[in-house]
Amino acid sequence: MAPHFQEVVGIDISECQLEEARAVTGFNNITYRKGTAEELPFPDASVDLLTAASAAHWFDQQRFLLEAGRVLKPCGCMALLGFADNFRLHYGSCGDRLTDICDEFKKVLLPYTSTRVAVANTKLQELYTAIPFPDKERIECIPLKQQISVRNIVGFMESFSMYQALQRAEPDAATALLQRTLDRFLKEMGVTSPDTLMEVTLEYFCVLASKPE
Ligand SMILES: C[S@@+](CC[C@H](N)C(=O)[O-])C[C@H]1O[C@@H](n2cnc3c(N)ncnc32)[C@H](O)[C@@H]1O
């Protein structure tokens, strides 16, 4: 967004996320602040675009929508994006088996899975319905295919909130699950290097809305 706007403010409740973001330098018009989507540090009718990536399923929907209505300028836009957790892996002829390994990983994590993950998997249906602006649209499937190393797909799975919950509850079991998943990927692919590339397909969704004039 930096090249397209005079001022960009990134907000997250997590100091760790903000540290990661601040480590990316070179954009003088971006600042970061600790805060929440439900209490935004902006005056009324001052924001052109309010956007959130893979985060809106965590928000208190009613309070967030009220806050969005307050801070957006007339004709200002809201764009919320994310992805469902039905991603698929591809590598030679063993893609289905790699995807099965992911599904088994997610199954082990079911007891640790927040209901908020289900909200993301509905592609924000309820939040979309509750948006009070008449000009709105929900795009349910924007397919994205990208190359990713075995190491990084396992890193992606490690970042899941339900994996983090298991790690807090049972650190040894969590580490073993991750290692077992990495080993199974490599065995299925018939390779030894975690830097080997596979392909992942993700279904992104996007909720768009514009505040009336
Ligand atoms: C999956 S991460 C996405 C992070 C980042 N937006 C990105 O695309 O890489 C979800 C983020 O939402 C943040 N979050 C959750 N609830 C929030 C809230 N109510 N207000 C602001 N941020 C929130 C979490 O701290 C976390 O960093």
Side-chain angles (χ1 to χ4, degrees):
M1 281 178 280
H4 303 287
F5 292 86
Q6 279 178 344
E7 190 186 355
V8 179
V9 183
I11 292 174
D12 201 291
I13 48 170
S14 158
E15 196 55 58
C16 297
Q17 287 280 15
L18 294 169
E19 263 171 40
E20 293 289 332
R22 287 189 183 113
V24 182
T25 54
F27 301 101
N28 295 332
N29 59 342
I30 306 183
T31 53
Y32 293 100
R33 297 190 211 169
K34 191 169 177 175
T36 71
E38 296 84 358
E39 280 180 60
L40 295 167
F42 307 120
D44 295 357
S46 62
V47 172
D48 291 293
L49 172 67
L50 187 59
T51 185
S54 306
H57 56 291
W58 294 108
F59 301 166
D60 178 318
Q61 296 187 354
Q62 290 309 325
R63 289 180 58 219
F64 166 67
L65 289 179
L66 274 176
E67 194 64 340
R70 182 185 71 77
V71 300
L72 281 173
K73 289 179 183 173
C75 298
C77 290
M78 176 161 67
L80 309 175
L81 61 136
F83 55 85
D85 82 348
N86 57 349
F87 62 90
R88 298 198 63 81
L89 303 182
H90 312 271
Y91 184 81
S93 59
C94 67
D96 286 348
R97 289 193 298 280
L98 296 177
T99 304
D100 287 346
I101 293 169
C102 285
D103 290 342
E104 283 169 37
F105 179 87
K106 286 184 242 169
K107 212 165 153 187
V108 175
L109 298 176
L110 267 182
Y112 298 90
T113 302
S114 160
T115 52
R116 297 299 183 153
V117 173
V119 174
N121 287 336
T122 68
K123 306 178 178 185
L124 301 180
Q125 164 79 66
E126 205 179 306
L127 186 151
Y128 174 71
T129 306
I131 295 174
F133 311 153
D135 185 5
K136 59 179 178 176
E137 181 181 356
R138 188 167 70 115
I139 303 163
E140 284 191 51
C141 183
I142 307 167
L144 184 103
K145 188 179 248 195
Q146 69 183 88
Q147 289 211 316
I148 188 163
S149 66
V150 180
R151 189 193 306 283
N152 285 348
I153 195 78
V154 172
F156 172 58
M157 293 161 75
E158 186 180 3
S159 78
F160 291 174
S161 57
M162 48 274 204
Y163 179 80
Q164 294 294 317
L166 173 67
Q167 200 169 47
R168 283 191 295 274
E170 294 181 61
D172 292 344
T175 304
L177 174 65
L178 207 62
Q179 185 62 47
R180 193 164 65 244
T181 303
L182 174 73
D183 293 344
R184 289 182 70 193
F185 281 151
L186 294 174
K187 190 169 176 214
E188 202 59 69
M189 293 163 75
V191 299
T192 53
S193 170
D195 294 320
T196 309
L197 294 175
M198 59 168 84
E199 269 186 341
V200 59
T201 45
L202 286 160
E203 274 185 23
Y204 271 81
F205 57 84
C206 191
V207 166
L208 301 166
S210 173
K211 183 173 165 176
E213 246 183 286

